Amino acid sequence: MTDIGFIGLGNMGGPMARNLVKAGHRVRGFDLAPDAIATAKDNGIETVASATEAAQGAEVVISMLPAGQHVRAVYTGPDGVIGLAKKGTLLIDCSTIDVASARAVQEAAAAAGMEMLDAPVSGGVAGADAGTLTFMVGGTDGAFGHGKPLLEVMGRTIVHAGGPGNGQAAKVCNNMILGITMIGISEAFTLADKLGLDQGKLFEISSKASGSCWAMLNHLPVPGIVEASAANRDYKPGFAAAMMHKDLKLSQEAAAQAGVATPMGAEAAALYTMFVNAGNGGLDYSAIIKLIRGT
Ligand code: NAD
């Protein structure tokens, strides 16, 4: 049994913390939102009054927060976890945040004698619920070895991506590919339709030809062809367009900092910005086909 402090018990953090309790760990959790606290209590999590209280005495602190500014505040702000947790505590941030914040917080942790991992996930709320998330992990070999058994409780695939920040780097690079390919698929299937080519026929051909890719095979944005597609459920997510928008913006921040030109990533970010600003953030990311179709 490990004593775990869990900070951020929202849509993802709530079920992740619950799975740790189910596996026999002691979890003391904190969230700013009363609803999240109430659900956590129902799930057997001991709830406490602050992030500091969750971290005090914990062997491992896990966080699942909205963005980089929240992660910086929780770990390095006034009364931050890094100043108050005991030396040797392992810190694991599972939020999706910018690479620079992840590296800055890990540097502060190392200076205070603590190991830290950035461990963003893919798999969504369903994966968090089922304990089948994929974790992309950045940090030292020692920290990875120490944290892996707990990540295995919450996920099915755990990949060590390299040193500090590399988990976040993997997440933004992967999701930039996904955003760009979804837009490409949407363009091709819309064009096929306008050319009088049946979209099912295009799928039959392209899914076995050089245009095939994971997004086409799993998240085809047109209905009635791929069973798992959100298109069959009025684009109920799935993976929300607002999340894709966030990840594409993070990819562009990272590209600017690294001095890399990613014109397709920039275009994908702009298209998702338009789509989300038009009130579509709650639809699945594959609904971007509506923007391409002009519907
Ligand atoms: P969420 O908004 O449901 O949960 C975040 C929680 O953090 C909220 O309950 C909020 O009250 C809490 N919080 C904010 N600041 C806090 C603070 N200072 N102290 C304590 N609690 C605080 O979001 P989510 O969907 O659970 O996503 C969490 C992270 O996981 C995000 O970074 C997101 O990008 C990433 N992610 C989400 C999904 C998804 O499908 N939801 C998939 C992959 C990755």
Side-chain angles (χ1 to χ4, degrees), residues 184-194 197 199-200 202-203 206 216 220-222 225 289:
I185 295 163
S186 298
E187 289 182 357
F189 277 77
T190 301
L191 177 62
D193 191 40
K194 294 287 178 203
L197 168 62
Q199 292 175 315
L202 177 61
F203 180 79
S206 278
M216 181 189 292
L220 191 75
V222 296
I225 300 170
I289 195 168

Side-chain angles (χ1 to χ4, degrees), residues 1-34:
M1 188 194 81
T2 304
D3 257 313
I4 300 168
F6 206 113
I7 303 166
L9 301 164
N11 291 324
M12 296 291 289
M16 289 163 71
R18 188 200 60 218
N19 284 334
L20 291 166
V21 170
K22 273 211 258 174
H25 299 291
R26 179 181 182 212
V27 180
R28 285 150 44 86
F30 173 66
D31 194 291
L32 292 174

Side-chain angles (χ1 to χ4, degrees), residues 175 178-179 182-183 219 230 234-250 268-291:
N175 283 13
L178 182 62
M182 180 52 74
I183 292 165
H219 293 170
D234 282 334
Y235 300 98
K236 185 171 169 287
F239 180 48
M243 291 281 173
M244 174 55 85
H245 181 224
K246 173 187 171 181
D247 294 350
L248 285 167
K249 282 195 299 179
L250 289 174
L271 287 167
Y272 274 98
T273 300
M274 283 166 61
F275 190 60
V276 168
N277 286 352
N280 298 306
L283 295 179
D284 190 71
Y285 80 109
S286 60
I288 194 80
I289 195 168
K290 290 170 181 270
L291 185 72

Side-chain angles (χ1 to χ4, degrees), residues 7-13 30-33 36 51 64-67 70 74 94-97 121-125 171 238-239 243 246-247:
I7 303 166
L9 301 164
N11 291 324
M12 296 291 289
F30 173 66
D31 194 291
L32 292 174
M64 194 50 159
L65 296 161
H70 307 97
V74 161
C94 299
S95 328
T96 300
I97 66 169
V121 304
S122 81
V125 176
K171 171 93 185 173
F239 180 48
M243 291 281 173
K246 173 187 171 181
D247 294 350

